[in-house]
Amino acid sequence: MIERHVCNGQRSEARTCEPILLPTEAMKVAFVGTYLPRKCGIATFTHDLRHAVAAQYGENCSQVVALCQSGDNDDYPPEVVFKIRAQDIDSYERAAEFLNRSNADVVCLQHEYGIFGGSAGGHILALVRALKMPVVTTLHTILHDPSPEQRKVMEILIEESSRLVVMTERGRLMLRETYRAPSDKIDVIAHGIHDVPFEEPGVYKGLFAMEDRLVLLTFGLLSANKGIEHVINALPAIVAEFPQVVYMVLGATHPNLLRDEGEAYRIGLESLAKRKGVDKHVIFYNRFADLAELTDFIGASDIYLTPYLNERQIVSGTLAYAFGAGKAVISTPYWHASELLTDGRGAIVPFADSEAITREVCALLRDSQRRQTMRQRAYQLGREMIWSRAAEHYQESFAQARVHHEASQPQALLVRTLAEEPIGLPPINVDHVLRMSDSTGMMQHALYSLPNYSHGYCTDDNARALILTFSWDQLGETTPALDTLATSYMAFLAYALHPDTKRFRNFMGYNRNWLEEMGSEDSHGRALWALGLCVEQTRNRGVSLLAEELFTQALPPVAELVHPRTWAFALLGIDAYLRKHPDDQPAKRMRALLVEKLLNRFSEHSRGDWHWLADDATYDNARLTQALIQCGHSMERPDVIGIGLRALRWLVTIQTSETGHFQPIGSDGFCHRNGTRAYFDQQPIEVQGTVAACLEAFRTTEDAVWLDHARIAFEWFLGRNDLGQMLYDTKTGGCRDALHADRVNENQGAESTLAFHLALAQMRMVNNDLAAFQEPIAFIT
């Protein structure tokens, strides 16, 4: 039997295999991806493919599981039977349970890294691994040089999928060469297109009052990599020869670009057109066009342009639509265009070359016969790409997947004891953080669950609060209210930096007056930590630029600070900053200096059974070990990692009770080399630091024992402590301030609340990664 690959309408023999008997009845298919009315190319593709399959095999044979963003209130059509919140990994697991209980025979997954939550979109692996039916995965992006996380996601997806669908021969080749995908798993099915008649542009130009114009068209979501500025730069010379030319740009600004930079790119293009004197020849349609409207725009165009700047674009839906409608296409040589526009079916120009665009556009406008021949060749091949044909080929792929699905054999159920069951984490509740914050920042203290105005604000807490907003953003907890608070926390830090000394002030009264000219060393270190993370993680360009400026100003004074804990806070921020700017020499020198200072302290004080850098262990101790482990990993210094791990192992040992629960060093006396040790008051900040350090140790060593230590420490908040009392208030979303010898402190201040929520966010992120990238593990008891 010959396996046939359909690529842009062309068939190629790929391999010979034994005949197999494919099921003849219509299968029930569950489509997973973004879906209309969400405005994105994957949503349109999923919608069109689903409707093509339903048109041939019946409405009852297909259903949709739609990917949604936080706050998505779109009114989905009836075929959408389940919605996945992209950043909520539990939602993927619930979707798998739903599909396993449904009558679906096969799942058709649309994969694009950016539509799923988690590192490199890894959350989708939690769904794929849990499904009992075969999965046919359509790959919309195949990266030639993926990051380690992207490679890992793709390799697992290849392993877990029964069939892989790519849309070009180059895609098939990349899967085999870059990812070692088995060739007999891969089907090449061209991007589907709508079947439209071959008509002259004049039939449609009247709809736009363009009867006497020559229309150039580009459509799709607007972003800087589309290269539209190069067409505008080409227009003066084009218009000089063909004054009736008009360039139409159809499409809304890409949602991610709109979120991060607003309409700056579009406005820049409009300004460019005015400077070039062609503003009367350029029309922007700032909207997401539906199918009927899109058909009219394409129909009215004389030449379709894709001046894209990314050579490694493996597929373009907009190119496929225009090509299949029989348009004369001029494109840069990105991969899809290079494959599709051969044999006179289109024209290729170099990247970012306005002069070449001018030459080719004018040549095509002069030569109507060449333009017509190009259109006819494109249209003829396009008939092999229409959605009804694509649906047939997908149905063949679905049938192959069912026949070869290895998971059809009964599998033993995974049964775990209570001790082996991973901890159930409470849901995120942002209420108390919102309650404790105002337009100035986050207030320090609380009277029970109410903010205590008499103590005002401090830099320490606003730095922690800013860090928390980044963690929540990664987990998909984004709302306008939280975004506003993040800017308030950032503005607080900016105001806190003294313009003369470049040191941070710490305490501010409720009346917004500073209570000191220079804050503690720790507050300076924490502020630098928050700024470094902000530079690395924020998507707001203005906030990022401000954070870089403040970080640069606040970095030099760190060299004069004397407390090791401050060095550790600063190191965590410097390391984050260097992940964004790895060649920044002042930051690299400061990191090396502070690491050596910590190593010297350990060398001076660590001996016998006392593995610490001083003669007493006070508070937030684990941060020192976290800084060494993290920076040692980044600097490729095994010796630094080893010292950090040894100290953390010692800390965990002395803070584990005889019954196995976490027992942090008390603040009423701390812990000393001479053997004296305080057991109360136990502070949430100590617990959160230990959770973070243990998780950093796990990420560095991949030793599951550190996960168990993190879990035990986190459970302190939930009642596994010396008094058996809950510190976290599930109703308010706040955390009680301390565990005393006989009671809990009922006040729910900023430090304790932020400590809990930072620990919860870190535990959620590691649980998400575990659910996506590896099999569930049993915690050690």
Side-chain angles (χ1 to χ4, degrees):
M1 177 180 176
I2 300 297
E3 182 188 51
R4 295 173 301 173
H5 293 272
V6 181
C7 178
N8 300 326
Q10 297 177 315
R11 297 182 184 274
S12 61
E13 295 184 0
R15 67 180 179 89
T16 303
C17 61
E18 294 299 321
I20 59 173
L21 181 63
L22 300 181
T24 56
E25 76 279 6
M27 285 172 286
K28 298 176 177 63
V29 183
F31 294 89
V32 178
T34 55
Y35 202 74
L36 296 180
R38 182 170 171 180
K39 295 176 174 58
C40 79
I42 305 296
T44 301
F45 184 95
T46 309
H47 172 273
D48 291 345
L49 176 58
R50 183 263 168 194
H51 277 269
V53 170
Q56 293 192 13
Y57 302 101
E59 284 289 330
N60 294 330
C61 290
S62 60
Q63 56 189 6
V64 177
V65 173
L67 269 294
C68 307
Q69 296 295 335
S70 179
D72 184 355
N73 296 316
D74 285 337
D75 185 16
Y76 285 94
E79 61 263 26
V80 175
V81 295
F82 195 95
K83 293 193 290 187
I84 297 174
R85 287 186 61 201
Q87 298 295 336
D88 178 11
I89 198 164
D90 294 338
S91 185
Y92 293 82
E93 294 169 349
R94 290 192 296 271
E97 293 173 2
F98 173 85
L99 289 169
N100 287 336
R101 291 195 302 268
S102 74
N103 58 356
D105 297 306
V106 64
V107 166
C108 183
L109 171 66
Q110 308 307 311
H111 181 264
E112 167 67 57
Y113 289 103
I115 67 175
F116 306 111
S119 176
H123 282 6
I124 189 58
L125 301 179
L127 180 145
V128 172
R129 278 180 160 150
L131 291 174
K132 297 179 180 178
M133 68 285 292
V135 177
V136 175
T137 300
T138 302
L139 300 170
H140 292 262
T141 294
I142 305 171
L143 299 175
H144 185 266
D145 50 356
S147 68
E149 293 81 7
Q150 290 167 334
R151 176 179 290 277
K152 190 171 185 180
V153 168
M154 182 60 72
E155 289 175 346
I156 295 174
L157 199 58
I158 290 170
E159 180 181 353
E160 297 292 336
S161 299
S162 296
R163 308 291 301 171
L164 302 164
V165 175
V166 295
M167 302 184 206
T168 63
E169 280 293 336
R170 184 183 284 270
R172 180 179 66 82
L173 185 63
M174 285 176 61
L175 274 186
R176 294 180 61 186
E177 293 184 348
T178 304
Y179 300 95
R180 307 294 183 188
S183 59
D184 58 0
K185 257 193 181 185
I186 306 171
D187 297 318
V188 186
I189 305 175
H191 192 297
I193 63 171
H194 296 282
D195 194 8
V196 297
F198 185 84
E199 294 180 313
E200 294 303 314
V203 174
Y204 295 90
K205 288 183 179 180
L207 299 173
F208 305 95
M210 297 277 181
E211 293 90 343
D212 59 344
R213 308 300 292 269
L214 293 171
V215 178
L216 314 180
L217 174 68
T218 296
F219 78 87
L221 292 174
L222 206 63
S223 60
N225 63 353
K226 294 298 176 68
I228 292 169
E229 62 272 20
H230 300 292
V231 180
I232 294 176
N233 282 326
L235 279 179
I238 295 171
V239 169
E241 183 173 353
F242 298 97
Q244 68 272 46
V245 159
V246 62
Y247 180 38
M248 298 198 298
V249 181
L250 170 65
T253 299
H254 194 287
N256 292 343
L257 184 65
L258 190 63
R259 177 195 62 211
D260 296 342
E261 300 181 18
E263 292 287 6
Y265 179 60
R266 184 186 299 275
I267 293 170
L269 293 175
E270 293 171 351
S271 299
L272 176 63
K274 291 179 181 179
R275 292 197 306 273
K276 293 291 183 179
V278 293
D279 49 306
K280 293 182 179 180
H281 297 268
V282 179
I283 302 174
F284 283 93
Y285 292 90
N286 185 6
R287 62 179 178 272
F288 188 88
D290 60 24
L291 175 60
E293 189 177 27
L294 181 58
T295 300
D296 293 340
F297 272 96
I298 294 175
S301 64
D302 294 283
I303 296 176
Y304 182 72
L305 291 146
T306 59
Y308 303 162
L309 302 178
N310 178 16
E311 179 188 19
R312 295 178 176 181
Q313 183 164 342
I314 198 69
V315 66
S316 168
T318 63
L319 173 63
Y321 288 157
F323 178 90
K327 294 289 110 177
V329 178
I330 298 175
S331 177
T332 49
Y334 57 91
W335 287 342
H336 190 192
S338 295
E339 189 168 309
L340 190 61
L341 302 181
T342 58
D343 299 328
R345 296 191 295 264
I348 296 292
V349 296
F351 292 106
D353 191 335
S354 298
E355 292 183 1
I357 293 173
T358 298
R359 287 195 302 270
E360 199 58 55
V361 169
C362 289
L364 275 180
L365 291 179
R366 293 188 204 108
D367 191 343
S368 59
Q369 182 57 50
R370 178 188 170 212
R371 194 166 72 246
Q372 191 71 0
T373 300
M374 186 182 291
R375 293 186 59 212
Q376 290 170 345
R377 288 176 177 174
Y379 187 80
Q380 181 180 3
L381 183 56
R383 296 318 91 207
E384 291 294 321
M385 299 163 58
I386 60 176
W387 277 115
S388 60
R389 296 297 300 274
E392 293 172 0
H393 299 311
Y394 267 94
Q395 198 72 5
E396 293 173 7
S397 188
F398 298 155
Q400 291 266 3
R402 285 190 70 190
V403 168
H404 293 293
H405 183 46
E406 296 177 354
S408 58
Q409 298 299 319
Q411 298 182 11
L413 294 175
L414 177 63
V415 179
R416 289 179 287 200
T417 68
L418 183 61
E420 294 171 325
E421 187 69 28
I423 184 174
L425 298 173
I428 293 173
N429 181 349
V430 304
D431 290 352
H432 195 57
V433 173
L434 294 173
R435 188 180 302 115
M436 292 288 291
S437 303
D438 61 15
S439 60
T440 299
M442 190 167 191
M443 284 166 271
Q444 284 191 80
H445 296 297
L447 297 169
Y448 298 102
S449 61
L450 300 176
N452 185 345
Y453 295 159
S454 64
H455 290 278
Y457 314 85
C458 71
T459 294
D460 280 324
D461 290 333
N462 280 275
R464 294 184 186 106
L466 183 60
I467 292 172
L468 178 60
T469 63
F470 303 141
S471 297
W472 277 346
D473 184 64
Q474 291 180 50
L475 291 167
E477 293 293 331
T478 54
T479 67
L482 291 176
D483 290 342
T484 299
L485 286 185
T487 59
S488 295
Y489 303 147
M490 183 66 198
F492 188 98
L493 296 186
Y495 188 40
L497 186 65
H498 196 291
D500 298 326
T501 65
K502 306 305 180 186
R503 285 283 304 273
F504 286 95
R505 293 165 285 200
N506 195 16
F507 296 114
M508 174 191 281
Y510 187 64
N511 60 2
R512 296 189 179 183
N513 291 328
W514 289 109
L515 304 180
E516 58 191 357
E517 285 300 303
M518 184 181 294
S520 66
E521 289 195 2
D522 279 3
S523 67
H524 192 91
R526 284 196 183 93
L528 199 71
W529 179 9
L531 292 172
L533 279 172
C534 187
V535 170
E536 179 197 19
Q537 298 182 8
T538 186
R539 295 181 304 215
N540 185 310
R541 185 171 182 271
V543 171
S544 178
L545 291 173
L546 176 59
E548 285 190 28
E549 180 180 323
L550 297 175
F551 183 93
T552 302
Q553 293 178 31
L555 183 63
V558 174
E560 305 302 322
L561 304 182
V562 299
H563 292 99
R565 187 171 45 251
T566 301
W567 303 339
F569 296 155
L571 278 171
L572 293 171
I574 294 168
D575 200 63
Y577 178 88
L578 285 170
R579 288 194 290 271
K580 182 70 177 290
H581 299 294
D583 297 322
D584 187 289
Q585 294 305 311
K588 291 177 73 172
R589 287 194 294 269
M590 186 65 76
R591 181 175 64 179
L593 173 66
L594 297 182
V595 165
E596 290 306 316
K597 285 186 174 184
L598 287 177
L599 293 182
N600 290 338
R601 287 296 187 100
F602 272 101
S603 177
E604 293 169 5
H605 293 273
S606 178
R607 55 187 179 273
D609 59 357
W610 183 263
H611 300 296
W612 199 235
L613 80 174
D615 291 335
D616 49 20
T618 55
Y619 69 95
D620 217 357
N621 297 297
R623 291 297 182 195
L624 294 122
T625 67
Q626 180 188 355
L628 286 176
I629 296 167
Q630 181 174 312
C631 291
H633 183 72
S634 299
M635 298 168 72
E636 299 182 347
R637 291 276 304 272
D639 59 321
V640 177
I641 296 172
I643 291 172
L645 289 173
R646 184 176 67 172
L648 180 58
R649 195 174 294 113
W650 175 79
L651 273 179
V652 167
T653 300
I654 69 170
Q655 295 183 109
T656 300
S657 73
E658 292 181 358
T659 58
H661 63 262
F662 190 65
Q663 194 176 54
I665 293 169
S667 62
D668 189 16
F670 302 120
C671 179
H672 303 276
R673 184 191 290 273
N674 63 14
T676 60
R677 154 79 188 269
Y679 290 92
F680 297 97
D681 297 334
Q682 296 177 14
Q683 303 288 331
I685 190 175
E686 195 65 41
V687 181
Q688 192 263 320
T690 303
V691 169
C694 289
L695 293 180
E696 188 62 42
F698 168 69
R699 283 187 288 268
T700 300
T701 67
E702 298 185 354
D703 186 344
V705 71
W706 293 113
L707 279 178
D708 192 53
H709 290 318
R711 173 183 67 87
I712 292 170
F714 182 78
E715 288 179 339
W716 180 91
F717 289 109
L718 305 181
R720 193 179 177 192
N721 51 51
D722 283 342
L723 300 188
Q725 295 290 312
M726 282 274 290
L727 275 291
Y728 176 55
D729 187 332
T730 58
K731 183 175 181 180
T732 67
C735 180
R736 298 171 178 92
D737 278 352
L739 191 71
H740 300 305
D742 58 345
R743 59 186 172 84
V744 295
N745 185 325
E746 292 289 348
N747 295 326
Q748 299 176 13
E751 180 179 284
S752 56
T753 294
L754 293 169
F756 170 78
H757 281 291
L758 284 164
L760 175 62
Q762 291 157 347
M763 291 294 291
R764 280 196 166 276
M765 283 188 277
V766 76
N767 272 11
N768 290 351
D769 288 342
L770 288 174
F773 290 107
Q774 64 186 57
E775 296 299 323
I777 67 166
F779 283 119
I780 301 166
T781 57

